[in-house]
Amino acid sequence: MRIAPEVADALAAGVPVLALESTILTHGLPRPRNLDVARDAEAQVRAAGAVPATIGVLDGVARVGLSGDELERLASDPDVVKLSSRDLPVAAATGVSGGTTVAATAHLAHRAGIRVFSTGGLGGVHRGASGTFDESADLPALARLPIVVVSAGVKSVLDVPATLERLETLGIGVLGYRTLAFPGFYVADSGYRVTHAVDSPEQVALARAAADDLGLDAALLVANPVPADEQLPPDVHDDALARATAALVERGIGGQDATPFLLEFIRDATGGASLEVNVAVYRNNVALGVKIAAAIAGR
């Protein structure tokens, strides 16, 4: 693992550092929009007085903090793969390049000493998991990583109530940011509730410090809803999701192909509006993440 000098210097000096994932640029957004969004996110962090640490893998080497050229390479290479934490050793052995998922990004951020990580949406329990056992590696990874993760809940194509149950079972604290409504990524309210809400970045920092003092090594998940005026209209969302789910069953698509199919169907059904929500979600989570990083650093 290589830590960029800027990131290492910031961590040593107590300057706030925010970890950012790379799958949003390798697999989450179309080219060349992906690179623009990644650059904008880093600029957003710098403008707030913090240091961005976009995390990815190049030629088998996990990198915490990408240079401009490295960012461009990941965003433009059509052969990059998606890497979860279990894939990192194999990537090192084979020399592949890829974007890191929430699980891998959180692991590498923690190894580097970064306390806060902003992403778009967390992985979770898939629909029908009672028969397929299809659950994202993000969940067990966060159960053993004492960091703060800012996300807009989980995508509504997943089994939201089952995901919340698994988060509870794994001991991952879920804090609604100024709300008790658990967000559904594209929409501010998934229809399900969380137990706890926080009102400020400082409260998140206090909660993380208390968890550390108590020896609780699971992540704290800050569920940060997309602003209501930037979400998909709930009726549009519900209609697109219902049609996407019906199409999935009709075409017999399952396994690892199910989620990409559902997301692509929703994107097409909304005329690309869901893509714009994706960008808004990420920007909103970066804005909150950098404030939490500053609060934890005491800045």
Side-chain angles (χ1 to χ4, degrees):
M1 182 176 78
R2 294 183 187 174
I3 303 176
E6 179 190 23
V7 174
D9 290 347
L11 290 170
V15 174
V17 177
L18 181 66
L20 303 170
E21 65 157 304
S22 49
T23 50
I24 191 170
L25 55 142
T26 58
H27 293 81
L29 296 170
R31 300 181 183 90
R33 184 78 181 279
N34 58 344
L35 182 57
D36 292 338
V37 170
R39 285 173 171 165
D40 287 347
E42 291 204 342
Q44 186 179 354
V45 174
R46 294 187 192 283
V51 172
T54 303
I55 295 176
V57 175
L58 287 169
D59 302 321
V61 179
R63 300 179 187 250
V64 179
L66 298 176
S67 69
D69 289 344
E70 290 168 342
L71 200 66
E72 184 172 357
R73 180 180 164 192
L74 266 189
S76 59
D77 185 352
D79 296 323
V80 294
V81 297
K82 183 184 291 188
L83 299 169
S84 188
S85 49
R86 70 168 188 173
D87 305 312
L88 296 176
V90 180
T94 58
V96 303
S97 299
T100 48
T101 64
V102 168
T105 304
H107 175 79
L108 294 169
H110 174 61
R111 289 274 293 174
I114 300 172
R115 305 304 312 277
V116 186
F117 162 38
S118 284
T119 184
L122 183 71
V125 178
H126 291 248
R127 294 169 186 253
S130 59
T132 64
F133 295 94
D134 193 354
E135 175 185 323
S136 172
D138 295 351
L139 301 186
L142 295 189
R144 57 176 177 78
L145 296 170
I147 64 173
V148 174
V149 178
V150 181
S151 87
V154 297
K155 289 187 174 71
S156 51
V157 299
L158 299 176
D159 188 329
V160 177
T163 299
L164 286 169
E165 290 289 348
R166 286 294 287 151
L167 287 166
E168 179 182 356
T169 299
L170 293 168
I172 300 168
V174 181
L175 310 176
Y177 191 69
R178 297 177 178 173
T179 181
L180 288 174
F182 188 66
F185 191 84
Y186 295 124
V187 290
D189 185 350
S190 69
Y192 298 91
R193 296 292 176 266
V194 297
T195 305
H196 306 291
V198 289
D199 295 323
S200 68
E202 290 73 23
Q203 284 189 334
V204 178
L206 288 171
R208 182 66 266 171
D212 294 340
D213 289 344
L214 292 166
L216 298 173
D217 290 335
L220 286 179
L221 176 64
V222 180
N224 184 36
V226 65
D229 60 350
E230 295 184 289
Q231 70 177 340
L232 271 183
D235 57 336
V236 172
H237 167 267
D238 294 348
D239 176 69
L241 179 59
R243 289 195 286 132
T245 304
L248 184 78
V249 174
E250 181 182 338
R251 301 181 194 184
I253 298 171
Q256 63 182 6
D257 297 326
T259 296
F261 171 82
L262 291 168
L263 296 179
E264 183 176 359
F265 190 102
I266 291 173
R267 183 193 66 197
D268 293 342
T270 60
S274 65
L275 181 63
E276 299 307 315
V277 176
N278 195 340
V279 174
V281 160
Y282 191 51
R283 185 186 303 115
N284 191 47
N285 290 344
V286 169
L288 178 57
V290 76
K291 292 176 183 177
I292 295 171
I296 288 177
R299 296 298 181 101

PDB file of all heavy atoms in Angstrom, residues 84 86 123-130 132-143 158-159 162-163 165-167 169-170 172 255:
ATOM      1  N   SER A  84     -13.106  -5.582  -4.299  1.00  0.00           N
ATOM      2  CA  SER A  84     -13.503  -5.575  -2.897  1.00  0.00           C
ATOM      3  C   SER A  84     -12.287  -5.948  -2.066  1.00  0.00           C
ATOM      4  O   SER A  84     -11.204  -6.218  -2.593  1.00  0.00           O
ATOM      5  CB  SER A  84     -14.653  -6.543  -2.670  1.00  0.00           C
ATOM      6  OG  SER A  84     -15.160  -6.402  -1.347  1.00  0.00           O
ATOM      7  N   ARG A  86     -11.498  -8.604  -0.454  1.00  0.00           N
ATOM      8  CA  ARG A  86     -10.959  -9.944  -0.687  1.00  0.00           C
ATOM      9  C   ARG A  86     -10.121 -10.015  -1.959  1.00  0.00           C
ATOM     10  O   ARG A  86      -9.311 -10.926  -2.126  1.00  0.00           O
ATOM     11  CB  ARG A  86     -12.103 -10.962  -0.792  1.00  0.00           C
ATOM     12  CG  ARG A  86     -12.935 -10.805  -2.056  1.00  0.00           C
ATOM     13  CD  ARG A  86     -13.858 -11.964  -2.297  1.00  0.00           C
ATOM     14  NE  ARG A  86     -14.499 -11.875  -3.604  1.00  0.00           N
ATOM     15  CZ  ARG A  86     -15.258 -12.831  -4.136  1.00  0.00           C
ATOM     16  NH1 ARG A  86     -15.463 -13.951  -3.469  1.00  0.00           N
ATOM     17  NH2 ARG A  86     -15.803 -12.669  -5.328  1.00  0.00           N
ATOM     18  N   GLY A 123     -23.350  -0.828   0.064  1.00  0.00           N
ATOM     19  CA  GLY A 123     -23.908  -2.105  -0.366  1.00  0.00           C
ATOM     20  C   GLY A 123     -24.733  -2.713   0.754  1.00  0.00           C
ATOM     21  O   GLY A 123     -24.592  -2.316   1.927  1.00  0.00           O
ATOM     22  N   GLY A 124     -25.570  -3.673   0.425  1.00  0.00           N
ATOM     23  CA  GLY A 124     -26.429  -4.245   1.452  1.00  0.00           C
ATOM     24  C   GLY A 124     -26.924  -5.627   1.092  1.00  0.00           C
ATOM     25  O   GLY A 124     -26.303  -6.348   0.307  1.00  0.00           O
ATOM     26  N   VAL A 125     -28.045  -5.991   1.671  1.00  0.00           N
ATOM     27  CA  VAL A 125     -28.665  -7.288   1.431  1.00  0.00           C
ATOM     28  C   VAL A 125     -29.510  -7.189   0.164  1.00  0.00           C
ATOM     29  O   VAL A 125     -30.325  -6.268   0.024  1.00  0.00           O
ATOM     30  CB  VAL A 125     -29.542  -7.709   2.626  1.00  0.00           C
ATOM     31  CG1 VAL A 125     -30.214  -9.047   2.341  1.00  0.00           C
ATOM     32  CG2 VAL A 125     -28.711  -7.775   3.899  1.00  0.00           C
ATOM     33  N   HIS A 126     -29.323  -8.132  -0.738  1.00  0.00           N
ATOM     34  CA  HIS A 126     -30.055  -8.117  -1.996  1.00  0.00           C
ATOM     35  C   HIS A 126     -31.427  -8.767  -1.836  1.00  0.00           C
ATOM     36  O   HIS A 126     -31.639  -9.604  -0.953  1.00  0.00           O
ATOM     37  CB  HIS A 126     -29.257  -8.833  -3.081  1.00  0.00           C
ATOM     38  CG  HIS A 126     -28.025  -8.089  -3.491  1.00  0.00           C
ATOM     39  ND1 HIS A 126     -27.867  -7.522  -4.728  1.00  0.00           N
ATOM     40  CD2 HIS A 126     -26.895  -7.790  -2.808  1.00  0.00           C
ATOM     41  CE1 HIS A 126     -26.696  -6.909  -4.794  1.00  0.00           C
ATOM     42  NE2 HIS A 126     -26.083  -7.072  -3.635  1.00  0.00           N
ATOM     43  N   ARG A 127     -32.326  -8.354  -2.691  1.00  0.00           N
ATOM     44  CA  ARG A 127     -33.659  -8.966  -2.678  1.00  0.00           C
ATOM     45  C   ARG A 127     -33.533 -10.463  -2.975  1.00  0.00           C
ATOM     46  O   ARG A 127     -32.779 -10.861  -3.852  1.00  0.00           O
ATOM     47  CB  ARG A 127     -34.563  -8.300  -3.723  1.00  0.00           C
ATOM     48  CG  ARG A 127     -34.862  -6.841  -3.388  1.00  0.00           C
ATOM     49  CD  ARG A 127     -35.523  -6.125  -4.570  1.00  0.00           C
ATOM     50  NE  ARG A 127     -35.675  -4.693  -4.296  1.00  0.00           N
ATOM     51  CZ  ARG A 127     -36.828  -4.095  -4.026  1.00  0.00           C
ATOM     52  NH1 ARG A 127     -37.951  -4.802  -4.005  1.00  0.00           N
ATOM     53  NH2 ARG A 127     -36.887  -2.801  -3.780  1.00  0.00           N
ATOM     54  N   GLY A 128     -34.261 -11.264  -2.219  1.00  0.00           N
ATOM     55  CA  GLY A 128     -34.192 -12.707  -2.396  1.00  0.00           C
ATOM     56  C   GLY A 128     -33.003 -13.351  -1.713  1.00  0.00           C
ATOM     57  O   GLY A 128     -32.697 -14.525  -1.957  1.00  0.00           O
ATOM     58  N   ALA A 129     -32.322 -12.610  -0.852  1.00  0.00           N
ATOM     59  CA  ALA A 129     -31.109 -13.132  -0.217  1.00  0.00           C
ATOM     60  C   ALA A 129     -31.386 -14.313   0.711  1.00  0.00           C
ATOM     61  O   ALA A 129     -30.464 -15.069   1.028  1.00  0.00           O
ATOM     62  CB  ALA A 129     -30.404 -12.027   0.561  1.00  0.00           C
ATOM     63  N   SER A 130     -32.628 -14.481   1.137  1.00  0.00           N
ATOM     64  CA  SER A 130     -32.937 -15.625   1.997  1.00  0.00           C
ATOM     65  C   SER A 130     -32.702 -16.942   1.269  1.00  0.00           C
ATOM     66  O   SER A 130     -32.483 -17.982   1.900  1.00  0.00           O
ATOM     67  CB  SER A 130     -34.399 -15.564   2.471  1.00  0.00           C
ATOM     68  OG  SER A 130     -35.282 -15.560   1.364  1.00  0.00           O
ATOM     69  N   THR A 132     -30.557 -16.896  -1.790  1.00  0.00           N
ATOM     70  CA  THR A 132     -29.277 -16.804  -2.503  1.00  0.00           C
ATOM     71  C   THR A 132     -28.092 -16.452  -1.600  1.00  0.00           C
ATOM     72  O   THR A 132     -26.946 -16.607  -2.005  1.00  0.00           O
ATOM     73  CB  THR A 132     -29.358 -15.715  -3.584  1.00  0.00           C
ATOM     74  OG1 THR A 132     -29.558 -14.436  -2.953  1.00  0.00           O
ATOM     75  CG2 THR A 132     -30.495 -15.986  -4.548  1.00  0.00           C
ATOM     76  N   PHE A 133     -28.392 -15.954  -0.391  1.00  0.00           N
ATOM     77  CA  PHE A 133     -27.363 -15.474   0.541  1.00  0.00           C
ATOM     78  C   PHE A 133     -26.536 -14.343  -0.083  1.00  0.00           C
ATOM     79  O   PHE A 133     -25.356 -14.166   0.237  1.00  0.00           O
ATOM     80  CB  PHE A 133     -26.438 -16.615   0.988  1.00  0.00           C
ATOM     81  CG  PHE A 133     -27.141 -17.675   1.791  1.00  0.00           C
ATOM     82  CD1 PHE A 133     -27.650 -18.804   1.168  1.00  0.00           C
ATOM     83  CD2 PHE A 133     -27.323 -17.534   3.161  1.00  0.00           C
ATOM     84  CE1 PHE A 133     -28.316 -19.772   1.891  1.00  0.00           C
ATOM     85  CE2 PHE A 133     -27.993 -18.496   3.891  1.00  0.00           C
ATOM     86  CZ  PHE A 133     -28.493 -19.623   3.254  1.00  0.00           C
ATOM     87  N   ASP A 134     -27.165 -13.580  -0.947  1.00  0.00           N
ATOM     88  CA  ASP A 134     -26.466 -12.498  -1.644  1.00  0.00           C
ATOM     89  C   ASP A 134     -26.450 -11.250  -0.771  1.00  0.00           C
ATOM     90  O   ASP A 134     -27.457 -10.557  -0.634  1.00  0.00           O
ATOM     91  CB  ASP A 134     -27.162 -12.220  -2.981  1.00  0.00           C
ATOM     92  CG  ASP A 134     -26.334 -11.334  -3.896  1.00  0.00           C
ATOM     93  OD1 ASP A 134     -25.272 -10.852  -3.449  1.00  0.00           O
ATOM     94  OD2 ASP A 134     -26.740 -11.128  -5.059  1.00  0.00           O
ATOM     95  N   GLU A 135     -25.314 -10.984  -0.195  1.00  0.00           N
ATOM     96  CA  GLU A 135     -25.142  -9.836   0.688  1.00  0.00           C
ATOM     97  C   GLU A 135     -23.803  -9.182   0.384  1.00  0.00           C
ATOM     98  O   GLU A 135     -22.794  -9.869   0.192  1.00  0.00           O
ATOM     99  CB  GLU A 135     -25.187 -10.272   2.148  1.00  0.00           C
ATOM    100  CG  GLU A 135     -24.908  -9.172   3.151  1.00  0.00           C
ATOM    101  CD  GLU A 135     -24.853  -9.681   4.583  1.00  0.00           C
ATOM    102  OE1 GLU A 135     -25.644 -10.584   4.923  1.00  0.00           O
ATOM    103  OE2 GLU A 135     -24.010  -9.186   5.354  1.00  0.00           O
ATOM    104  N   SER A 136     -23.786  -7.868   0.337  1.00  0.00           N
ATOM    105  CA  SER A 136     -22.553  -7.152   0.030  1.00  0.00           C
ATOM    106  C   SER A 136     -21.491  -7.371   1.108  1.00  0.00           C
ATOM    107  O   SER A 136     -21.787  -7.402   2.299  1.00  0.00           O
ATOM    108  CB  SER A 136     -22.834  -5.655  -0.101  1.00  0.00           C
ATOM    109  OG  SER A 136     -21.631  -4.929  -0.204  1.00  0.00           O
ATOM    110  N   ALA A 137     -20.242  -7.473   0.653  1.00  0.00           N
ATOM    111  CA  ALA A 137     -19.110  -7.570   1.580  1.00  0.00           C
ATOM    112  C   ALA A 137     -18.906  -6.281   2.357  1.00  0.00           C
ATOM    113  O   ALA A 137     -18.154  -6.259   3.336  1.00  0.00           O
ATOM    114  CB  ALA A 137     -17.837  -7.922   0.817  1.00  0.00           C
ATOM    115  N   ASP A 138     -19.582  -5.203   1.941  1.00  0.00           N
ATOM    116  CA  ASP A 138     -19.466  -3.936   2.672  1.00  0.00           C
ATOM    117  C   ASP A 138     -19.895  -4.100   4.129  1.00  0.00           C
ATOM    118  O   ASP A 138     -19.297  -3.495   5.031  1.00  0.00           O
ATOM    119  CB  ASP A 138     -20.342  -2.852   2.034  1.00  0.00           C
ATOM    120  CG  ASP A 138     -19.902  -2.466   0.633  1.00  0.00           C
ATOM    121  OD1 ASP A 138     -18.821  -2.912   0.203  1.00  0.00           O
ATOM    122  OD2 ASP A 138     -20.648  -1.725  -0.033  1.00  0.00           O
ATOM    123  N   LEU A 139     -20.933  -4.890   4.361  1.00  0.00           N
ATOM    124  CA  LEU A 139     -21.498  -4.972   5.711  1.00  0.00           C
ATOM    125  C   LEU A 139     -20.548  -5.629   6.706  1.00  0.00           C
ATOM    126  O   LEU A 139     -20.228  -5.029   7.735  1.00  0.00           O
ATOM    127  CB  LEU A 139     -22.853  -5.682   5.668  1.00  0.00           C
ATOM    128  CG  LEU A 139     -23.929  -5.031   4.781  1.00  0.00           C
ATOM    129  CD1 LEU A 139     -25.263  -5.758   4.944  1.00  0.00           C
ATOM    130  CD2 LEU A 139     -24.094  -3.554   5.116  1.00  0.00           C
ATOM    131  N   PRO A 140     -20.061  -6.854   6.450  1.00  0.00           N
ATOM    132  CA  PRO A 140     -19.120  -7.433   7.423  1.00  0.00           C
ATOM    133  C   PRO A 140     -17.807  -6.662   7.517  1.00  0.00           C
ATOM    134  O   PRO A 140     -17.176  -6.653   8.575  1.00  0.00           O
ATOM    135  CB  PRO A 140     -18.900  -8.862   6.906  1.00  0.00           C
ATOM    136  CG  PRO A 140     -19.328  -8.850   5.488  1.00  0.00           C
ATOM    137  CD  PRO A 140     -20.410  -7.820   5.391  1.00  0.00           C
ATOM    138  N   ALA A 141     -17.415  -5.996   6.435  1.00  0.00           N
ATOM    139  CA  ALA A 141     -16.186  -5.193   6.498  1.00  0.00           C
ATOM    140  C   ALA A 141     -16.346  -4.060   7.495  1.00  0.00           C
ATOM    141  O   ALA A 141     -15.454  -3.817   8.329  1.00  0.00           O
ATOM    142  CB  ALA A 141     -15.843  -4.644   5.113  1.00  0.00           C
ATOM    143  N   LEU A 142     -17.468  -3.368   7.443  1.00  0.00           N
ATOM    144  CA  LEU A 142     -17.672  -2.238   8.348  1.00  0.00           C
ATOM    145  C   LEU A 142     -17.858  -2.682   9.792  1.00  0.00           C
ATOM    146  O   LEU A 142     -17.667  -1.892  10.717  1.00  0.00           O
ATOM    147  CB  LEU A 142     -18.870  -1.409   7.895  1.00  0.00           C
ATOM    148  CG  LEU A 142     -18.722  -0.712   6.540  1.00  0.00           C
ATOM    149  CD1 LEU A 142     -19.872   0.258   6.312  1.00  0.00           C
ATOM    150  CD2 LEU A 142     -17.386   0.011   6.427  1.00  0.00           C
ATOM    151  N   ALA A 143     -18.194  -3.942   9.982  1.00  0.00           N
ATOM    152  CA  ALA A 143     -18.351  -4.449  11.346  1.00  0.00           C
ATOM    153  C   ALA A 143     -17.023  -4.521  12.086  1.00  0.00           C
ATOM    154  O   ALA A 143     -17.002  -4.626  13.319  1.00  0.00           O
ATOM    155  CB  ALA A 143     -19.004  -5.827  11.322  1.00  0.00           C
ATOM    156  N   LEU A 158     -32.089  -2.658  -3.411  1.00  0.00           N
ATOM    157  CA  LEU A 158     -31.727  -3.672  -2.423  1.00  0.00           C
ATOM    158  C   LEU A 158     -32.892  -3.907  -1.461  1.00  0.00           C
ATOM    159  O   LEU A 158     -33.909  -3.218  -1.505  1.00  0.00           O
ATOM    160  CB  LEU A 158     -30.497  -3.218  -1.644  1.00  0.00           C
ATOM    161  CG  LEU A 158     -29.229  -3.000  -2.470  1.00  0.00           C
ATOM    162  CD1 LEU A 158     -28.115  -2.445  -1.590  1.00  0.00           C
ATOM    163  CD2 LEU A 158     -28.781  -4.287  -3.138  1.00  0.00           C
ATOM    164  N   ASP A 159     -32.719  -4.888  -0.589  1.00  0.00           N
ATOM    165  CA  ASP A 159     -33.714  -5.177   0.441  1.00  0.00           C
ATOM    166  C   ASP A 159     -33.386  -4.268   1.634  1.00  0.00           C
ATOM    167  O   ASP A 159     -32.525  -4.603   2.457  1.00  0.00           O
ATOM    168  CB  ASP A 159     -33.644  -6.652   0.828  1.00  0.00           C
ATOM    169  CG  ASP A 159     -34.780  -7.076   1.745  1.00  0.00           C
ATOM    170  OD1 ASP A 159     -35.255  -6.227   2.529  1.00  0.00           O
ATOM    171  OD2 ASP A 159     -35.180  -8.253   1.700  1.00  0.00           O
ATOM    172  N   ALA A 162     -34.060  -5.632   5.340  1.00  0.00           N
ATOM    173  CA  ALA A 162     -33.106  -6.694   5.670  1.00  0.00           C
ATOM    174  C   ALA A 162     -31.716  -6.118   5.899  1.00  0.00           C
ATOM    175  O   ALA A 162     -30.967  -6.570   6.770  1.00  0.00           O
ATOM    176  CB  ALA A 162     -33.073  -7.740   4.564  1.00  0.00           C
ATOM    177  N   THR A 163     -31.354  -5.093   5.129  1.00  0.00           N
ATOM    178  CA  THR A 163     -30.054  -4.443   5.311  1.00  0.00           C
ATOM    179  C   THR A 163     -29.969  -3.785   6.680  1.00  0.00           C
ATOM    180  O   THR A 163     -28.949  -3.894   7.375  1.00  0.00           O
ATOM    181  CB  THR A 163     -29.820  -3.406   4.201  1.00  0.00           C
ATOM    182  OG1 THR A 163     -29.811  -4.057   2.928  1.00  0.00           O
ATOM    183  CG2 THR A 163     -28.501  -2.685   4.400  1.00  0.00           C
ATOM    184  N   GLU A 165     -31.579  -4.668   9.329  1.00  0.00           N
ATOM    185  CA  GLU A 165     -31.469  -5.746  10.314  1.00  0.00           C
ATOM    186  C   GLU A 165     -30.039  -6.260  10.408  1.00  0.00           C
ATOM    187  O   GLU A 165     -29.512  -6.513  11.497  1.00  0.00           O
ATOM    188  CB  GLU A 165     -32.411  -6.899   9.951  1.00  0.00           C
ATOM    189  CG  GLU A 165     -33.885  -6.596  10.133  1.00  0.00           C
ATOM    190  CD  GLU A 165     -34.281  -6.496  11.600  1.00  0.00           C
ATOM    191  OE1 GLU A 165     -33.487  -6.877  12.485  1.00  0.00           O
ATOM    192  OE2 GLU A 165     -35.404  -6.025  11.875  1.00  0.00           O
ATOM    193  N   ARG A 166     -29.376  -6.408   9.264  1.00  0.00           N
ATOM    194  CA  ARG A 166     -28.000  -6.891   9.266  1.00  0.00           C
ATOM    195  C   ARG A 166     -27.056  -5.869   9.898  1.00  0.00           C
ATOM    196  O   ARG A 166     -26.124  -6.224  10.614  1.00  0.00           O
ATOM    197  CB  ARG A 166     -27.556  -7.217   7.844  1.00  0.00           C
ATOM    198  CG  ARG A 166     -28.149  -8.490   7.303  1.00  0.00           C
ATOM    199  CD  ARG A 166     -27.645  -9.705   8.077  1.00  0.00           C
ATOM    200  NE  ARG A 166     -26.251 -10.006   7.750  1.00  0.00           N
ATOM    201  CZ  ARG A 166     -25.384 -10.585   8.593  1.00  0.00           C
ATOM    202  NH1 ARG A 166     -25.761 -10.871   9.819  1.00  0.00           N
ATOM    203  NH2 ARG A 166     -24.150 -10.843   8.210  1.00  0.00           N
ATOM    204  N   LEU A 167     -27.287  -4.594   9.637  1.00  0.00           N
ATOM    205  CA  LEU A 167     -26.466  -3.564  10.265  1.00  0.00           C
ATOM    206  C   LEU A 167     -26.573  -3.643  11.790  1.00  0.00           C
ATOM    207  O   LEU A 167     -25.574  -3.518  12.505  1.00  0.00           O
ATOM    208  CB  LEU A 167     -26.898  -2.180   9.774  1.00  0.00           C
ATOM    209  CG  LEU A 167     -26.511  -1.833   8.334  1.00  0.00           C
ATOM    210  CD1 LEU A 167     -27.283  -0.605   7.859  1.00  0.00           C
ATOM    211  CD2 LEU A 167     -25.009  -1.578   8.215  1.00  0.00           C
ATOM    212  N   THR A 169     -27.439  -6.368  13.570  1.00  0.00           N
ATOM    213  CA  THR A 169     -26.819  -7.616  14.010  1.00  0.00           C
ATOM    214  C   THR A 169     -25.303  -7.496  14.065  1.00  0.00           C
ATOM    215  O   THR A 169     -24.649  -8.022  14.982  1.00  0.00           O
ATOM    216  CB  THR A 169     -27.208  -8.763  13.060  1.00  0.00           C
ATOM    217  OG1 THR A 169     -28.628  -8.928  13.087  1.00  0.00           O
ATOM    218  CG2 THR A 169     -26.533 -10.068  13.458  1.00  0.00           C
ATOM    219  N   LEU A 170     -24.726  -6.798  13.093  1.00  0.00           N
ATOM    220  CA  LEU A 170     -23.274  -6.659  13.011  1.00  0.00           C
ATOM    221  C   LEU A 170     -22.719  -5.575  13.932  1.00  0.00           C
ATOM    222  O   LEU A 170     -21.506  -5.367  13.989  1.00  0.00           O
ATOM    223  CB  LEU A 170     -22.869  -6.366  11.563  1.00  0.00           C
ATOM    224  CG  LEU A 170     -23.107  -7.514  10.582  1.00  0.00           C
ATOM    225  CD1 LEU A 170     -22.942  -7.024   9.148  1.00  0.00           C
ATOM    226  CD2 LEU A 170     -22.162  -8.677  10.869  1.00  0.00           C
ATOM    227  N   ILE A 172     -23.133  -2.309  13.737  1.00  0.00           N
ATOM    228  CA  ILE A 172     -22.761  -1.076  13.036  1.00  0.00           C
ATOM    229  C   ILE A 172     -23.793  -0.003  13.383  1.00  0.00           C
ATOM    230  O   ILE A 172     -24.965  -0.121  13.038  1.00  0.00           O
ATOM    231  CB  ILE A 172     -22.718  -1.300  11.511  1.00  0.00           C
ATOM    232  CG1 ILE A 172     -21.693  -2.390  11.178  1.00  0.00           C
ATOM    233  CG2 ILE A 172     -22.394  -0.001  10.777  1.00  0.00           C
ATOM    234  CD1 ILE A 172     -21.785  -2.889   9.743  1.00  0.00           C
ATOM    235  N   GLY A 255     -28.370 -13.220  -9.618  1.00  0.00           N
ATOM    236  CA  GLY A 255     -26.961 -13.198  -9.250  1.00  0.00           C
ATOM    237  C   GLY A 255     -26.354 -11.819  -9.372  1.00  0.00           C
ATOM    238  O   GLY A 255     -27.002 -10.803  -9.157  1.00  0.00           O
TER     239      GLY A 255
END
